[in-house]
Amino acid sequence: MSRFVFLTQRMQFGWGVDLVLHEVARRLVGQGHAVSILCNEADSSYRGPYTITQLSGPDPHAILAHAEDFEPDAVIACTTPFFEVLPVLRHQFCCWAWEFGDPTPGLFPDDGEIRERIRRFKIEFCYPVLDGVLAISEFIRRDIEWPPARALHLGCEHAPDLGIKSLQDAALDRARPLRVGTLMRLGAGESNYKGNRLFLRLTESLRTQVEDLEICVMGRGSEEDAEEFRRAGFRVHLNASDQEKWRYLRELDVFVTCSLWEGFNLPLAEAQAVGTPGLAFDTGAHPEVSPLIFADLPEMADFIRELNDNRELLGRHSRAAYSFVRRTFSWDRTTARFLELVLSGAARRDRVAPRVAPSSVPEAAEGGAVPARLSLRRDLSATLRSLRFYGWRHTAEKVRWALRERFRR
């Protein structure tokens, strides 16, 4: 069986990448593989048959030492700052990037320039030297500007299977107001691209069209963050548990996301998985995750009004949403596809470019390793690109580290 090391910023409740790694890692271990997750931040949220090791930062020395002890078949980075370590690790290990994407830098007025530099670094210096790149959607595969990347859709069955909604669950008999809600991070930071303000505008428009309406918001944040939504007359569910989240999503009649950028949008899939229609704008990966996609706020508001007026239509969309995601997204298929892609990459690396010590490169080249002259040409090209983009100080540090690690082995 195989061994995998995953590198990610955190393993904590409330973050999509963390949930993905938990679901895939526990399935890998269940199939007999070994998994180790290295991260900078961790709490007790995730417990599984895999190991979590908390680092004090993306220290290449610590990561390399751990990998040498663990002897993985592949090292997979899922977030910055660990993508940036892969060009060093790839000299010794099969290395993959699993891309969850970077929101458009222009949506972050405070640190957009830094985000753009991180994105360009991956395209210029990371992806070209790796064994492969995975992307969580076709949208991300295109957005990262790396055509060879392979799309690997996520799953939905971590959401409890509550079946199709009953008459009472779906409010088909108009016994209560239509319940419309969203799930988002409250406060500053991601709110620009998560569409917090757009959701406020949507509900203002809805209240002029629908007489009896209940608006709900669930999210992580402070009481101060929640106050803006309470003043607008919303029911706010703050920092809820997983069980509270499933109950909330099930009790909604319509789930709405106003996000302007999403690599996949797990909450959109989760809402549908518990039988609630999920509405989204035609942005990011939304068209891959839900069939109910809208061009703008008025179009979405008109559709919600129609669902309120025609509860039979609401019931049909509820059943269709449940069937669509349960049929389309599966963690078991995600894990199987992950193994297929990554292990084929590891086998290809072993066949084409065996891992050898620098002292034996000339002999190994005859057996199929990358010839020394080509390796030097590639390294020189990467160094010149780094000088042009990052300057001599950063480039000198990269070269110093790479040379030291190469000759140490």
Side-chain angles (χ1 to χ4, degrees):
M1 288 296 169
S2 302
R3 304 172 70 82
F4 302 99
V5 169
F6 291 93
L7 309 174
T8 187
Q9 172 60 25
R10 61 180 65 83
M11 283 298 290
Q12 296 175 331
F13 177 73
W15 300 88
V17 178
D18 311 32
L19 171 66
V20 172
L21 289 188
H22 170 72
E23 292 295 333
V24 171
R26 69 188 188 90
R27 283 171 171 78
L28 288 172
V29 175
Q31 296 174 27
H33 305 288
V35 173
S36 176
I37 299 176
L38 304 185
C39 61
N40 289 335
E41 305 169 41
D43 57 24
S44 60
S45 298
Y46 290 107
R47 301 287 187 184
Y50 50 84
T51 63
I52 297 177
T53 302
Q54 189 170 353
L55 304 170
S56 57
D59 179 5
H61 298 278
I63 297 170
L64 191 60
H66 179 88
E68 287 175 340
D69 289 341
F70 195 76
E71 298 183 344
D73 291 88
V75 177
I76 306 99
C78 302
T79 67
T80 291
F82 293 103
F83 290 123
E84 292 78 356
V85 179
L86 292 182
V88 173
L89 299 179
R90 60 96 180 176
H91 290 290
Q92 190 165 344
F93 300 100
C94 173
C95 290
W96 284 70
W98 193 351
E99 268 288 4
F100 289 70
D102 298 300
T104 305
L107 295 172
F108 298 85
D110 295 335
D111 60 354
E113 183 178 346
I114 295 173
R115 289 171 178 268
E116 177 61 23
R117 286 170 66 91
I118 291 172
R119 194 178 75 87
R120 295 310 309 176
F121 179 91
K122 290 189 290 186
I123 296 171
E124 293 280 342
F125 308 116
C126 183
Y127 304 152
V129 300
L130 300 184
D131 293 272
V133 178
L134 304 174
I136 61 170
S137 63
E138 288 292 342
F139 164 72
I140 290 297
R141 189 184 66 80
R142 296 188 300 270
D143 195 55
I144 62 174
E145 300 180 34
W146 194 251
R150 308 298 291 272
L152 184 64
H153 282 118
L154 307 183
C156 74
E157 65 267 39
H158 61 285
D161 191 346
L162 305 176
I164 294 173
K165 287 186 178 181
S166 67
L167 181 69
Q168 183 177 2
D169 289 332
L172 300 185
D173 57 358
R174 303 184 68 93
R176 60 170 172 79
L178 189 74
R179 193 172 292 153
V180 178
T182 192
L183 195 154
M184 64 174 69
R185 292 192 183 281
L186 306 179
E190 296 180 339
S191 61
N192 280 345
Y193 87 85
K194 289 294 186 182
N196 296 25
R197 297 290 178 187
L198 288 174
F199 185 70
L200 287 167
R201 287 172 52 193
L202 172 68
T203 56
E204 288 172 0
S205 174
L206 280 174
R207 282 174 169 148
T208 66
Q209 302 181 50
V210 180
E211 183 176 345
D212 207 5
L213 192 67
E214 186 177 336
I215 308 294
C216 308
V217 173
M218 175 174 280
R220 304 193 70 77
S222 67
E223 288 292 338
E224 184 179 354
D225 296 332
E227 190 55 36
E228 177 182 18
F229 293 95
R230 291 197 179 105
R231 286 197 303 269
F234 297 176
R235 286 182 56 193
V236 180
H237 305 260
L238 193 62
N239 301 323
S241 67
D242 239 9
Q243 291 305 312
E244 290 169 329
K245 180 179 77 170
W246 302 130
R247 185 165 58 250
Y248 166 79
L249 291 175
R250 178 73 170 187
E251 290 175 352
L252 293 178
D253 299 308
V254 180
F255 177 85
V256 171
T257 176
C258 293
S259 181
L260 299 175
W261 188 100
E262 288 292 340
F264 184 81
N265 201 329
L266 272 170
L268 183 60
E270 291 169 342
Q272 295 173 88
V274 295
T276 299
L279 282 56
F281 291 131
D282 188 8
T283 56
H286 288 153
E288 299 174 56
V289 182
S290 172
L292 299 177
I293 300 300
F294 302 89
D296 52 30
L297 283 173
E299 187 176 88
M300 184 182 285
D302 286 345
F303 183 75
I304 295 173
R305 176 184 52 77
E306 186 177 356
L307 293 180
N308 179 65
D309 294 341
N310 187 345
R311 297 300 176 92
E312 183 182 349
L313 178 64
L314 173 63
R316 291 203 300 271
H317 278 295
S318 172
R319 293 188 291 274
Y322 170 84
S323 299
F324 168 72
V325 294
R326 292 283 173 182
R327 181 181 66 251
T328 307
F329 303 116
S330 161
W331 289 119
D332 290 339
R333 288 199 296 272
T334 302
T335 304
R337 185 64 171 152
F338 169 86
L339 282 170
E340 177 188 347
L341 292 171
V342 173
L343 291 183
S344 67
R348 184 168 59 249
R349 178 188 178 97
D350 287 338
R351 184 173 62 251
V352 176
R355 300 170 201 150
V356 294
S359 60
S360 61
V361 164
E363 294 80 4
E366 298 175 6
V370 177
R373 63 182 180 277
L374 293 182
S375 180
L376 287 172
R377 186 183 305 165
R378 180 183 59 198
D379 290 346
L380 177 60
S381 176
T383 301
L384 291 174
R385 288 199 306 270
S386 182
L387 280 169
R388 186 168 61 250
F389 196 80
Y390 287 96
W392 71 270
R393 290 182 184 274
H394 181 81
T395 302
E397 177 61 23
K398 284 173 54 182
V399 171
R400 182 187 67 80
W401 164 254
L403 288 174
R404 184 176 64 187
E405 290 304 308
R406 188 172 298 182
F407 285 104
R408 186 172 70 85
R409 294 192 296 272

